[in-house]
Amino acid sequence: MPANGSSDSNGLWGFKDKTKMATLQQLIQPVQPKTDDTNNKVTVVGTGQVGMAAVFAMLTQGVTNNIALVDVMENKLKGEMMDLQHGSAFMKNAKIQASTDYAITAFSKICVVTAGVRQREGESRLALVQRNTDVLKRIIPKLVQYSPDTILIIASNPVDILTYVSWKLSGLPKHRVIGSGTNLDSARFRYLLSEKLSVAATSCHGYIIGEHGDSSVPIWSGVNVAGVRFCDLNQRIGTETDPENWNELHEMVVRSAYEVIRLKGYTSWAIGLSLSQLARAILTNANSVHPVSTYVMGEHGIDEEVFLSLPCVLGQNGVSDVIRQPLTEIELALLQKSALVMSAVQIGIIF
Ligand code: NAD
């Protein structure tokens, strides 16, 4: 810390008695008060592996230059803030604040929530959901209090259920509460396709929808390169009787999260990039299509009030449209089963 420096309540390093310094008075003639507004402020709650990977991606990809960090671990928060601020000369006018006080999040365009507790040994899914609901109860109302027009992007797991919980806790309209959902699963899928075909992942198209994780649903009917649908070349693609066993790719997608966690303890870079992509779509009003967790009651014969991933058009208002993919009977059944399972878990949540 500089000898004459101090940390103010915003977590910014301020210098005392600025106005009285003769050198400053000689150098700078104030004309107008400065404003803090950059019109692209993003709050990230949870400065763990996922939160910081998202922040780093957003800052270095130029998605935002205005970040507010919130966590309960004060030292970690301050350390992350300072470390990023020291990179200011390498970024484009980054403004980075950090505090345990939600006042710094005021007027955020987007609030990304990556705070959460991990599963304890022997802990049931419902028990984890309840513990994370209790965490969200301390976060979501404060975010909405300071940024009533914000769009929430939830990454904490189990992401589909916690997106529902956040929607309930926030009182925001459903199009402004989004779960990162299967945007990551779909990216993993496209990477594996690209490895198999030796074609860039950006040119391999395919969607994984439904529940993020184990029971996600790959939509084989839409997988294509340059508009050439694989299902037109191999009618049994994705089925158990497919002699080429393409479904192995989806199994690898599901396994790959566990594999990364086994090897490095957590996943971070890919989910960070995924969150950055979603934030960019919203901040630039892109109207681009991403598989994200959204309110799906009424879609694909789903009767439950649940959030699952479907391809959504994202722009400055959040989700503007849901794209209706034609699904096979098997895909529909899998999606509807996930909805039932999630609805059963949600019934047990105490708000
Ligand atoms: P982590 O333990 O590294 O970080 C979690 C952070 O949340 C910690 O810094 C902790 O202090 C903070 N936190 C806890 N309670 C808080 C509260 N009340 N207010 C503010 N901050 C609080 O965990 P991680 O590896 O970063 O993972 C975070 C979450 O993201 C987990 O739920 C994980 O399962 C999930 N995740 C989701 C995806 C996805 O695709 N959706 C991918 C990877 C991880």
Side-chain angles (χ1 to χ4, degrees):
M1 185 169 80
N4 59 345
S6 67
S7 168
D8 68 17
S9 62
N10 283 352
L12 293 171
W13 294 101
F15 290 88
K16 286 176 184 158
D17 299 330
K18 250 187 195 176
T19 49
K20 291 184 192 144
M21 257 193 245
T23 311
L24 278 187
Q25 280 172 355
Q26 286 176 60
L27 178 70
I28 294 171
Q29 173 59 47
V31 177
Q32 269 287 313
K34 294 186 176 78
T35 136
D36 276 350
D37 194 13
T38 57
N39 219 21
N40 62 6
K41 182 170 177 179
V42 177
T43 284
V44 175
V45 185
T47 54
Q49 303 297 344
V50 173
M52 291 317 297
V55 167
F56 194 74
M58 288 189 284
L59 285 172
T60 54
Q61 293 184 323
V63 170
T64 177
N65 65 337
N66 192 348
I67 291 274
L69 297 172
V70 178
D71 202 293
V72 284
M73 295 202 296
E74 224 165 310
N75 284 346
K76 168 93 163 80
L77 195 58
K78 210 170 244 181
E80 291 292 6
M81 175 189 74
M82 288 175 67
D83 203 3
L84 286 172
Q85 286 173 338
H86 296 165
S88 295
F90 309 115
M91 294 189 277
K92 290 181 182 162
N93 306 317
K95 174 175 155 59
I96 298 146
Q97 296 170 274
S99 179
T100 52
D101 184 342
Y102 281 77
I104 64 154
T105 69
F107 305 111
S108 292
K109 295 279 175 202
I110 297 174
C111 294
V112 180
V113 179
T114 74
V117 288
R118 292 183 186 168
Q119 206 152 357
R120 291 179 186 143
E121 220 177 307
E123 185 175 43
S124 74
R125 198 167 176 228
L126 182 56
L128 175 71
V129 167
Q130 188 59 53
R131 279 205 299 140
N132 271 327
T133 298
D134 295 340
V135 169
L136 291 178
K137 278 186 206 167
R138 294 194 286 275
I139 296 172
I140 303 295
K142 294 236 178 76
L143 291 176
V144 177
Q145 177 193 335
Y146 284 104
S147 304
D149 298 326
T150 200
I151 291 172
L152 297 177
I153 303 181
I154 311 300
S156 312
N157 271 324
V159 67
D160 300 291
I161 291 179
L162 293 186
T163 305
Y164 164 83
V165 167
S166 300
W167 172 59
K168 284 277 175 197
L169 291 172
S170 68
L172 292 178
K174 52 187 190 270
H175 60 273
R176 287 208 271 131
V177 185
I178 299 164
S180 63
T182 56
N183 199 43
L184 175 59
D185 314 53
S186 300
R188 287 180 175 141
F189 185 57
R190 293 172 68 192
Y191 162 71
L192 292 171
L193 279 170
S194 83
E195 284 291 289
K196 202 169 162 102
L197 303 171
S198 294
V199 169
T202 46
S203 297
C204 294
H205 306 290
Y207 280 84
I208 290 184
I209 64 167
E211 194 178 349
H212 164 63
D214 298 1
S215 42
S216 61
V217 184
I219 305 303
W220 286 104
S221 55
V223 174
N224 76 86
V225 171
V228 181
R229 297 192 314 159
F230 289 24
C231 65
D232 290 335
L233 310 174
N234 171 1
Q235 257 105 58
R236 283 191 279 169
I237 195 162
T239 66
E240 280 175 13
T241 59
D242 173 10
E244 294 171 349
N245 194 20
W246 281 86
N247 208 41
E248 186 189 31
L249 256 58
H250 177 241
E251 288 158 14
M252 286 166 79
V253 167
V254 171
R255 274 204 312 272
S256 61
Y258 292 104
E259 185 65 356
V260 176
I261 290 170
R262 186 181 71 77
L263 292 167
K264 63 174 256 192
Y266 52 85
T267 64
S268 56
W269 303 121
I271 176 66
L273 287 164
S274 168
L275 290 166
S276 177
Q277 183 194 52
L278 301 179
R280 186 195 291 278
I282 293 165
L283 291 173
T284 60
N285 195 19
N287 292 329
S288 47
V289 177
H290 307 270
V292 287
S293 198
T294 192
Y295 184 92
V296 290
M297 191 172 169
E299 290 301 316
H300 297 299
I302 294 170
D303 295 327
E304 293 74 28
E305 198 164 60
V306 294
F307 281 63
L308 284 173
S309 285
L310 292 177
C312 292
V313 180
L314 288 188
Q316 65 183 358
N317 296 322
V319 174
S320 61
D321 311 85
V322 172
I323 303 297
R324 291 185 158 157
Q325 293 168 305
L327 302 181
T328 65
E329 271 179 33
I330 295 172
E331 290 161 356
L332 268 180
L334 288 169
L335 205 60
Q336 289 168 359
K337 190 174 154 210
S338 276
L340 280 172
V341 170
M342 286 199 309
S343 171
V345 172
Q346 285 171 190
I347 285 168
I349 297 174
I350 302 160
F351 283 97

